[in-house]
Amino acid sequence: EKGGWPSFMKKEISEEPEAIANTLRGRLVDGRTVIPELEPLEPVFADIDRVVVLACGTAYYAGMLGKYAIEAWARIPVDVELSHEFRYREPVLSERTLVVSVSQSGETMDTLMAVKYASAAGARTLSICNVQGATIPRESDAILYTHAGPEVAVASTKAFVAQATALYLLALKLGESRGLLTPESAEPLIDELTSLPEKLQSVIADSSERIAELAKWSADTQSVLFLGRNVGYPIALEGALKLKELAYIHAEGFAAGELKHGPIALIEPGQLVFVVVPSPRHTGSLHPKVVSNIQEIRARGARVIAIAELGDAAVVSSADEVIRIPLAGPMFEPLLAVAPLHVFGMELAAAKGLDVDQPRNLAKSVTVE
Ligand code: F6R
């Protein structure tokens, strides 16, 4: 039930903080992960030499975030693959490969077939899924449920943040299993994770009205670009996908470093560009590089909306508009930056008079290949 909300999507975006909190609930105790569902795979966690994440669409972008976390905290190489591309070549798999499928519905046929293929090739399979008892979890060696609650709107929002949260839990678990994370070294990461819901709540409360105004002004826009780097890159892709599917506007996400390798030629006066800006506080931060990307595109007439940390003064002079997110660790910023982009897609669709819950040509779960 919509319970007074104008759309399921708006309701579900408002539930993003809760989706993270519910996915974490009971799973972090005294600096360690407590995830009984992962027990069937625990004996192999120390041995696996590679992780392959399989997913489509928004779930694929959550998978990209998982790659950053697993590589950083567990030092296992991760490939993230589109399920529908995976089995139509000759992927290299072994019993030391952990295949992690990510699917809200657990019914996506492309992902199901890819998991079956991986299983038959001897890989270990873990399903990250939101719908209890769905087909993909039943085909997997272990299941890590996200607890986002039912997602009704066709466009995925709260499931995305829950999927990323589950992948971060998995990354912590793998880091522990390999002796790389101790309760002491995991503590700051766990603090970051557990403080996300409150921070995200404030992002949604503080930015939604402004984003809705920006969306109204942009209702005639023909094309919107999204830039990000590192963990901001999947967020750029996610922002672009939402705009395509909801508002039927051409949109593209780029890794900001790729700009000068081609896409900057697209920039002409008036081009709307969202930029996910990394915090300047982190060591080795890509902040200066992204700020200089903003300057480059603005010099060519782009209208830039930056999503940047509170207190980041450098973006104020370079961007046209700044949406603020609270301070967070480098791995956690994307889960705060994504909500304004979800709101933007939704509001732009609403401004065009479109049905935000049921975009044309799409179904909530894609059960054909
Ligand atoms: C985008 C969207 C889709 C799904 C994709 C995978 O907003 O909802 O891209 O993320 O079809 O669906 P699941 O997660 O059910 O496998």
Side-chain angles (χ1 to χ4, degrees):
E1 253 316 291
K2 272 191 264 189
W5 293 91
S7 64
F8 279 106
M9 190 175 172
K10 190 156 194 173
K11 172 174 182 273
E12 288 162 7
I13 292 172
S14 81
E15 291 167 347
E16 287 186 14
E18 211 180 314
I20 296 176
N22 289 343
T23 300
L24 292 175
R25 182 152 301 125
R27 287 168 163 172
L28 293 168
V29 181
D30 296 332
R32 298 199 82 82
T33 52
V34 179
I35 312 178
E37 305 94 295
L38 292 180
E39 263 162 37
L41 287 171
E42 248 161 70
V44 302
F45 277 165
D47 282 338
I48 52 166
D49 60 7
R50 185 169 158 243
V51 173
V52 175
V53 180
L54 299 174
C56 309
T58 285
Y60 174 82
Y61 305 142
M64 289 175 74
L65 291 177
K67 173 184 168 85
Y68 292 97
I70 295 169
E71 291 189 343
W73 303 338
R75 307 298 296 143
I76 307 170
V78 182
D79 293 310
V80 191
E81 309 239 9
L82 292 166
S83 314
H84 37 85
E85 284 293 316
F86 180 66
R87 70 194 178 99
Y88 295 100
R89 53 188 172 86
E90 294 179 55
V92 180
L93 295 163
S94 79
E95 64 284 352
R96 296 184 68 194
T97 311
L98 175 66
V99 165
V100 181
S101 64
V102 185
S103 174
Q104 187 285 131
S105 63
E107 301 296 344
T108 300
M109 187 59 77
D110 290 316
T111 303
L112 174 63
M113 297 312 283
V115 168
K116 284 187 172 176
Y117 179 97
S119 223
R124 319 290 178 155
T125 55
L126 169 67
S127 159
I128 293 180
C129 180
N130 195 47
V131 176
Q132 300 275 328
T135 311
I136 296 170
R138 279 192 272 119
E139 291 288 334
S140 304
D141 297 328
I143 315 162
L144 178 54
Y145 280 114
T146 49
H147 296 297
E151 193 178 62
V152 177
V154 164
S156 194
T157 54
K158 63 176 180 172
F160 171 79
V161 293
Q163 285 160 347
T165 302
L167 285 157
Y168 284 14
L169 283 170
L170 175 66
L172 290 175
K173 174 92 228 170
L174 290 170
E176 275 170 24
S177 307
R178 309 198 144 220
L180 293 172
L181 287 178
T182 61
E184 293 70 41
S185 62
E187 194 186 281
L189 304 175
I190 290 175
D191 288 348
E192 289 278 354
L193 265 177
T194 47
S195 66
L196 275 175
E198 206 182 307
K199 292 180 189 172
L200 182 52
Q201 190 81 53
S202 76
V203 172
I204 296 169
D206 297 346
S207 68
S208 293
E209 225 170 285
R210 184 74 192 126
I211 293 276
E213 278 172 18
L214 293 168
K216 272 189 207 108
W217 294 344
S218 312
D220 297 331
T221 303
Q222 302 294 310
S223 148
V224 183
L225 304 180
F226 294 79
L227 302 179
R229 277 194 84 141
N230 190 264
V231 285
Y233 173 39
I235 300 309
L237 297 171
E238 167 67 359
L241 177 60
K242 285 294 161 321
L243 210 56
K244 290 177 227 187
E245 70 172 330
L246 295 163
Y248 318 150
I249 289 177
H250 174 257
E252 265 193 89
F254 297 110
E258 193 65 4
L259 258 189
K260 59 184 174 302
H261 300 287
I264 198 163
L266 286 170
I267 306 294
E268 48 184 50
Q271 172 70 54
L272 182 57
V273 186
F274 276 87
V275 183
V276 182
V277 183
S279 161
R281 295 172 300 117
H282 309 314
T283 39
S285 172
L286 290 160
H287 179 268
K289 293 203 163 70
V290 174
V291 168
S292 91
N293 289 143
I294 295 177
Q295 288 158 353
E296 281 155 15
I297 57 176
R298 268 196 95 215
R300 289 161 179 83
R303 189 157 68 88
V304 175
I305 304 176
I307 302 183
E309 185 176 85
L310 284 164
D312 176 351
V315 290
V316 178
S317 51
S318 40
D320 295 271
E321 185 81 38
V322 185
I323 303 297
R324 293 295 184 177
I325 59 171
L327 277 56
M331 206 66 81
F332 306 90
E333 290 166 1
L335 293 179
L336 301 175
V338 76
L341 299 184
H342 285 162
V343 173
F344 186 74
M346 173 184 71
E347 294 291 355
L348 194 37
K352 290 179 74 171
L354 300 170
D355 182 343
V356 298
D357 287 337
Q358 289 283 348
R360 68 186 179 199
N361 310 341
L362 290 168
K364 182 65 185 161
S365 66
V366 185
T367 53
V368 290
E369 265 196 280

